[in-house]
Amino acid sequence: MNSATANASSSQRLSAQNLQALLDSVDAFLFDCDGVIWKGDVLIDGVAQTLDMLRSKEKKLAFITNNSTKSRRQNAEKFCSLGISVTEDEIFTSSFAAAMFLKVNNFPQDKKVYVIGGEGILEELQLAGFAGLGGPEDGKKTAQLKANCLFEHDKNVGAVVVGIDPHINYYKLQYGTLCIRENPGCLFIATNRDAVGHMTNLQEWPGAGCMVAAICGSTEKEPILVGKPSTFMMDFLLQKFDISCSRMCMVGDRLDTDILFGQNAGCKTLLVLSGVTNLPTLQDPSNKIQPDYYTSKVSDILEFMGP
Amino acid sequence: MNSATANASSSQRLSAQNLQALLDSVDAFLFDCDGVIWKGDVLIDGVAQTLDMLRSKEKKLAFITNNSTKSRRQNAEKFCSLGISVTEDEIFTSSFAAAMFLKVNNFPQDKKVYVIGGEGILEELQLAGFAGLGGPEDGKKTAQLKANCLFEHDKNVGAVVVGIDPHINYYKLQYGTLCIRENPGCLFIATNRDAVGHMTNLQEWPGAGCMVAAICGSTEKEPILVGKPSTFMMDFLLQKFDISCSRMCMVGDRLDTDILFGQNAGCKTLLVLSGVTNLPTLQDPSNKIQPDYYTSKVSDILEFMGP
């Protein structure tokens, strides 16, 4: 009990009293999307008005999601369809991060990238000038298991990118495994390692952590992680905003990705309880990740401002 | 170089000189199957004659395989089809081990077992009196991902058994994940964790370690391992043979399962180089698992006996 109390006391509940101090101390708010901005395809109440208010106070906004299914462009379309105006360059997806990782590491343009995951990864790779293969079109393929059967794979694949894939199958696992085990120097990149994701409103479903672990299991290798809690994406935010990390606040619903990302980068952190984390989990003695602030949902920021 | 030499010297190459000492020191030979007895569906040369010779010297024989695809009965049929006479009760599969684990731990008969893997696991569960579901018939099912979609799973599932599954899909991963995450006390049992297996003669393909890791990734739990290198199966061997482990020799092609299993159980160990391990791997300084003896193939035992 003492330990739980001590833990809880290290995070402040956001209130009308401490909100102004938070607003004064930061110039940019970084938002996770799922469980923060929306749940599945439904906007969370009051988000639009809260973002408008923050923009009116000249706060910079960015949206940082581990969901690799969509590209930046596809995410901007989703924001638009929900009535929120966000530009592509305010969006940082783990699919974009994977493509940028290859770019900043001078991945050869004549090498290919095998994708276990969604269309968003392939689109970001293409925008960055890389040739992707695999992805959704391999979802219908099957591996033939017969004596003397040889599974052919492209020897020119120099990286395998793994993200969440609801169409995972043995063909894709074998293709990715062969590239990593047999192509010399082939990179193994994980968009993220979330154990589960809110793919529907009602339940948690296996996330990218499931597919990434499968490839770890067959290759006996650990991946390069580019999504949260890795701070790889922060370099691109810093380029865009020219604001120091200490004057940014990361707002998210997940302790081990969002809040840890914010802490790893030296940002202030605000946990919202509108997604996967509830108050008992935050205050459980076993939880070692404490945000600076917590509140029930993003629109509390607006409510605490008063009339 | 010194380290490699030291390592290599801790294993003896089997020879006409030291074979008799090995034969005198053991009363039972335990054989792994794939890469030792056969490769895929092809018997390795000289195996039949070698087993006959060992039986003629009144050595007990047992066959211990991590391959969970087949039941004991199905494996006996495979031996028979290859011209080798082996009885069901000389065969110890990881599918049998999974069923026996539930039995010795008094798994309630009114609970069910969800299977990610092959028909062999379902058959062994049924023989042990347990109700299995999943397995091959879930290979064609797909998970619907829509807003407000609820994936129903059987709340009466009390154990999930995961083995190699060439028909792995998101439906099975979600089913197993939900049982482990949401059914109180649900067990997570791995038949084995081999990274890859010889499913064809020409290549290595993702093994049970791939599917097991996927479920670890989505459940954030570690499994109970019943196959090699766990010595769980040894209790059943001891019941059958009434021979002390120190008078058994484990013969296998894999260091981290077969040889480690033999060492964990206190058996003598013989590595054959007819499967996944080659001499450079055995003698690499990074390899810490050294068998008592190594040789190129099982029939060397016969050859070294001389005429």
Side-chain angles (χ1 to χ4, degrees):
Chain A
M1 280 297 286
N2 285 341
S3 168
T5 313
N7 252 349
S9 68
S10 66
S11 287
Q12 290 184 55
R13 180 182 277 278
L14 195 67
S15 67
Q17 284 69 47
N18 60 22
L19 174 64
Q20 196 57 50
L22 172 62
L23 288 174
D24 289 346
S25 69
V26 300
D27 301 315
F29 282 86
L30 319 179
F31 292 94
D32 176 44
C33 295
D34 211 9
V36 178
I37 302 294
W38 54 61
K39 286 193 110 167
D41 290 329
V42 181
L43 199 64
I44 295 175
D45 279 349
V47 162
Q49 298 84 338
T50 309
L51 298 181
D52 284 346
M53 180 276 287
L54 291 172
R55 285 197 198 270
S56 76
K57 292 194 173 297
E58 299 193 342
K59 303 300 180 191
K60 306 285 188 193
L61 305 185
F63 301 87
I64 305 181
T65 175
N66 266 357
N67 189 333
S68 63
T69 313
K70 293 187 169 68
S71 62
R72 305 176 93 183
R73 180 189 63 76
Q74 290 167 320
N75 265 290
E77 286 175 2
K78 177 166 179 176
F79 274 102
C80 182
S81 75
L82 294 169
I84 299 183
S85 174
V86 167
T87 60
E88 269 180 58
D89 67 351
E90 290 174 316
I91 298 168
F92 298 81
T93 63
S94 62
S95 52
F96 173 71
M100 287 305 104
F101 181 87
L102 295 173
K103 193 156 190 173
V104 300
N105 285 284
N106 300 313
F107 185 76
Q109 299 272 333
D110 60 337
K111 290 270 187 184
K112 295 177 193 164
V113 184
Y114 186 73
V115 174
I116 297 178
E119 191 58 43
I121 300 172
L122 286 165
E123 185 169 321
E124 292 296 349
L125 288 172
Q126 191 179 20
L127 287 168
F130 300 115
L133 70 161
E137 78 172 44
D138 281 0
K140 300 281 182 201
K141 294 185 185 166
T142 53
Q144 296 298 319
L145 284 171
K146 293 179 299 202
N148 296 314
C149 172
L150 189 77
F151 187 106
E152 299 278 357
H153 74 284
D154 192 326
K155 304 292 189 295
N156 222 19
V157 168
V160 175
V161 175
V162 184
I164 188 167
D165 192 336
H167 303 287
I168 188 73
N169 60 21
Y170 196 75
Y171 180 95
K172 295 182 189 183
L173 293 170
Q174 165 72 340
Y175 205 109
T177 298
L178 278 179
C179 292
I180 295 169
R181 288 180 75 104
E182 298 191 1
N183 290 3
C186 183
L187 300 171
F188 169 22
I189 298 171
T191 61
N192 62 305
R193 302 194 73 166
D194 296 52
V196 289
H198 275 296
M199 300 176 71
T200 78
N201 311 12
L202 303 174
Q203 252 174 342
E204 294 186 343
W205 291 63
C210 178
M211 293 83 205
V212 170
I215 297 292
C216 294
S218 56
T219 61
E220 298 168 285
K221 295 211 170 139
E222 283 297 305
I224 297 158
L225 176 67
V226 294
K228 296 173 284 185
S230 153
T231 58
F232 172 74
M233 273 194 274
M234 189 49 88
D235 287 347
F236 299 89
L237 271 154
L238 291 172
Q239 276 176 24
K240 178 174 162 56
F241 285 147
D242 196 23
I243 292 173
S244 89
C245 291
S246 64
R247 293 201 53 88
M248 298 181 183
C249 178
M250 177 70 208
V251 185
D253 70 322
R254 206 182 278 262
L255 294 163
D256 63 350
T257 54
D258 301 324
I259 302 306
L260 194 54
F261 165 80
Q263 292 177 344
N264 286 344
C267 304
K268 297 204 168 41
T269 54
L270 168 60
L271 179 78
V272 289
L273 302 172
S274 51
V276 297
T277 308
N278 57 23
L279 195 58
T281 301
L282 172 64
Q283 297 183 339
D284 193 279
S286 69
N287 169 39
K288 305 298 180 212
I289 304 171
Q290 291 293 328
D292 296 312
Y293 301 94
Y294 67 93
T295 195
S296 62
K297 56 191 184 301
V298 162
S299 63
D300 293 346
I301 299 174
L302 189 62
E303 193 189 319
F304 295 150
M305 295 278 295
Chain B
M1 280 300 282
N2 285 341
S3 168
T5 314
N7 252 349
S9 67
S10 66
S11 286
Q12 290 184 55
R13 180 183 277 278
L14 195 66
S15 67
Q17 285 68 47
N18 61 20
L19 174 64
Q20 195 58 49
L22 172 61
L23 288 174
D24 290 344
S25 69
V26 300
D27 302 314
F29 282 86
L30 319 180
F31 291 94
D32 176 43
C33 296
D34 211 11
V36 177
I37 302 294
W38 55 60
K39 285 194 113 169
D41 291 326
V42 181
L43 199 64
I44 296 175
D45 280 349
V47 162
Q49 298 82 339
T50 309
L51 298 182
D52 285 346
M53 180 275 288
L54 290 172
R55 284 197 199 270
S56 76
K57 294 195 172 295
E58 300 193 343
K59 303 300 180 191
K60 305 286 187 192
L61 305 185
F63 301 87
I64 306 182
T65 173
N66 266 357
N67 189 335
S68 63
T69 312
K70 293 186 169 69
S71 62
R72 306 176 92 184
R73 181 187 63 77
Q74 290 167 321
N75 265 292
E77 286 175 2
K78 177 166 180 177
F79 273 102
C80 181
S81 76
L82 295 170
I84 299 183
S85 175
V86 167
T87 60
E88 268 180 59
D89 66 351
E90 289 174 317
I91 298 167
F92 298 81
T93 63
S94 63
S95 52
F96 173 71
M100 287 304 105
F101 181 87
L102 295 173
K103 194 158 188 173
V104 301
N105 286 284
N106 300 311
F107 186 74
Q109 299 272 334
D110 60 337
K111 289 272 189 184
K112 296 176 192 163
V113 183
Y114 186 73
V115 174
I116 297 177
E119 191 59 42
I121 300 173
L122 287 165
E123 184 170 321
E124 292 295 349
L125 288 172
Q126 192 179 20
L127 288 169
F130 299 116
L133 70 162
E137 78 170 45
D138 281 1
K140 298 282 182 199
K141 294 185 184 166
T142 53
Q144 295 299 317
L145 285 170
K146 294 179 301 202
N148 296 314
C149 173
L150 190 76
F151 186 105
E152 300 279 357
H153 74 285
D154 193 325
K155 305 292 189 295
N156 222 19
V157 168
V160 175
V161 175
V162 184
I164 188 167
D165 192 337
H167 304 286
I168 190 70
N169 60 21
Y170 196 74
Y171 179 95
K172 296 182 189 184
L173 293 169
Q174 164 72 339
Y175 205 110
T177 298
L178 278 179
C179 292
I180 294 169
R181 289 181 74 103
E182 298 192 0
N183 291 3
C186 183
L187 301 171
F188 170 21
I189 297 170
T191 60
N192 62 306
R193 301 194 73 166
D194 297 51
V196 289
H198 275 297
M199 300 176 71
T200 78
N201 312 12
L202 303 174
Q203 251 176 343
E204 294 186 343
W205 291 63
C210 178
M211 294 82 205
V212 170
I215 297 292
C216 293
S218 57
T219 62
E220 298 168 285
K221 295 211 170 137
E222 284 296 305
I224 298 158
L225 176 67
V226 294
K228 297 174 284 187
S230 152
T231 58
F232 172 72
M233 273 194 274
M234 189 48 89
D235 288 346
F236 298 90
L237 272 154
L238 291 172
Q239 275 175 26
K240 179 174 163 57
F241 285 148
D242 196 23
I243 291 173
S244 89
C245 291
S246 65
R247 295 202 49 90
M248 298 182 183
C249 178
M250 178 69 208
V251 185
D253 70 323
R254 205 182 280 262
L255 293 163
D256 63 350
T257 54
D258 301 323
I259 302 306
L260 193 55
F261 165 80
Q263 291 177 342
N264 286 343
C267 304
K268 298 205 166 40
T269 54
L270 168 61
L271 179 78
V272 290
L273 302 171
S274 50
V276 298
T277 309
N278 56 25
L279 195 59
T281 301
L282 171 66
Q283 296 183 339
D284 193 279
S286 69
N287 169 39
K288 303 300 178 212
I289 304 171
Q290 291 293 329
D292 296 311
Y293 302 93
Y294 67 94
T295 195
S296 62
K297 56 190 184 302
V298 163
S299 62
D300 293 345
I301 298 174
L302 189 61
E303 191 188 321
F304 295 150
M305 295 278 294

